Amino acid sequence: MVNTIPRKDAPDLPESGQAWALFLDLDGTLVDLVDHPDNIAVDGALRERLETLTDLLDGAVAVISGRAIDDLDRHLKLSSLAMSGQHGAEWRNSQGDRQIAREHQKALDAVREKVRKQVERDDALYLEDKGASLALHYRNRPDAGDMLKQELDSMIEHYPDLLELHQGKFVFEIKGQGYDKGVALERFLAVAPFADRCPIFIGDDRTDEDGFRVVNARQGLAIKVGTGESVATCRLTDPAAVHAWLDEWITRLQRS
Ligand SMILES: [Mg+2]
């Protein structure tokens, strides 16, 4: 087990006397960011870590991601793990019941075609169609951010009450209005086994800030991975440091 956690800004381990609920982003938090979203590396140690934590926290563990739940399942292969996908537009509780937001679907269908045409014009762009949201990845054309933002803003401007644009690390997401990672966290925290537990959320990107705000309002532990502005109260440097911190917590939970 790794014990070399960089201590600067690193969170203390959660108090043993308290009941905790753990929420985790995936990309850039549990796995390193890579050139293409299909190429992330999920190994057996990560799966085991998540299963052990779910067990030790009485099921109160959920992955909160921008990815679709089907995509999360394809990589994580943990079909009984609670999840929220597509920034809160998709949700699966610990009993395996799934729901997906539909109000904005027609508007998204109309915009989808336009984005597709945009992508056809440029090999360096990659469109990830998640069903209830769209992600346009531009990691291979990093200077295209401003241009793409303008184009996408003009595509969704006809649907101000239904669609919104979010910018992440070399990705733009078009998603249903009113869904974000904070909404996803609140939804879990309203039901068993998450209710009445103090939340911990670990994330690395701008869209995780909504989750951090919810956690801060409940005096939980908001942990930002990496650098950059954040409302989170502490930091870990990278996914390896997240693994080390979680492993240290597992050891403490197993002892108590
Ligand atoms: Mg992330």
Side-chain angles (χ1 to χ4, degrees):
M1 211 150 279
V2 189
N3 276 321
T4 51
I5 300 174
R7 271 298 165 198
K8 192 164 182 269
D9 283 330
D12 291 332
L13 290 177
E15 293 287 333
S16 295
Q18 170 94 268
W20 298 94
L22 177 63
F23 301 97
L24 298 157
D25 169 53
L26 179 66
D27 294 78
T29 297
L30 291 177
V31 298
D32 288 315
L33 295 172
V34 288
D35 57 341
H36 189 287
D38 283 344
N39 295 341
I40 55 164
V42 175
D43 60 14
L46 176 54
R47 272 184 208 106
E48 196 184 324
R49 189 175 286 117
L50 293 175
E51 284 179 315
T52 304
L53 280 163
T54 305
D55 200 29
L56 289 166
L57 299 175
D58 305 315
V61 176
V63 167
I64 312 278
S65 174
R67 289 179 185 256
I69 288 181
D70 284 342
D71 191 26
L72 291 168
D73 277 344
R74 195 157 47 240
H75 290 285
L76 287 171
K77 299 185 176 72
L78 294 169
S79 53
S80 57
L81 186 66
M83 287 176 177
S84 178
Q86 308 195 47
H87 305 285
E90 244 190 322
W91 196 69
R92 177 171 78 200
N93 67 15
S94 352
Q95 286 78 48
D97 303 323
R98 275 176 74 161
Q99 286 179 13
I100 186 163
R102 300 248 175 243
E103 313 88 291
H104 64 289
Q105 202 63 55
K106 269 191 182 161
L108 191 71
D109 290 345
V111 167
R112 176 181 285 115
E113 277 317 302
K114 293 182 183 172
V115 180
R116 233 178 230 155
K117 284 189 183 127
Q118 176 81 33
V119 171
E120 275 166 14
R121 286 198 288 269
D122 190 339
D123 285 349
L125 302 179
Y126 167 67
L127 175 63
E128 187 187 354
D129 188 346
K130 308 186 221 178
S133 61
L134 302 171
L136 181 60
H137 297 267
Y138 64 99
R139 182 165 291 273
N140 297 324
R141 184 162 319 292
D143 57 346
D146 291 344
M147 180 270 288
L148 288 172
K149 185 173 185 321
Q150 260 184 21
E151 301 236 356
L152 296 173
D153 269 334
S154 77
M155 286 181 203
I156 67 165
E157 71 184 0
H158 305 294
Y159 313 99
D161 301 328
L162 292 169
L163 297 178
E164 60 186 44
L165 184 70
H166 271 247
Q167 186 169 11
K169 288 177 185 162
F170 301 113
V171 63
F172 285 104
E173 307 234 19
I174 297 175
K175 56 189 204 61
Q177 184 77 254
Y179 295 94
D180 60 45
K181 290 192 174 186
V183 172
L185 254 82
E186 293 276 21
R187 194 163 173 179
F188 279 115
L189 288 165
V191 296
F194 301 90
D196 303 322
R197 285 172 172 260
C198 190
I200 299 171
F201 180 43
I202 313 180
D204 72 305
D205 210 344
R206 285 187 213 183
T207 57
D208 297 313
E209 295 295 314
D210 299 309
F212 294 147
R213 275 181 212 104
V214 168
V215 165
N216 287 344
R218 291 172 180 251
Q219 280 83 47
L221 193 51
I223 307 173
K224 161 90 173 174
V225 181
T227 55
E229 283 280 298
S230 180
V231 298
T233 45
C234 36
R235 282 182 201 258
L236 290 166
T237 49
D238 53 22
V242 174
H243 296 168
W245 188 81
L246 290 174
D247 287 344
E248 211 177 310
W249 188 25
I250 285 173
T251 304
R252 175 183 280 198
L253 284 165
Q254 283 170 335
R255 282 197 194 121
S256 64

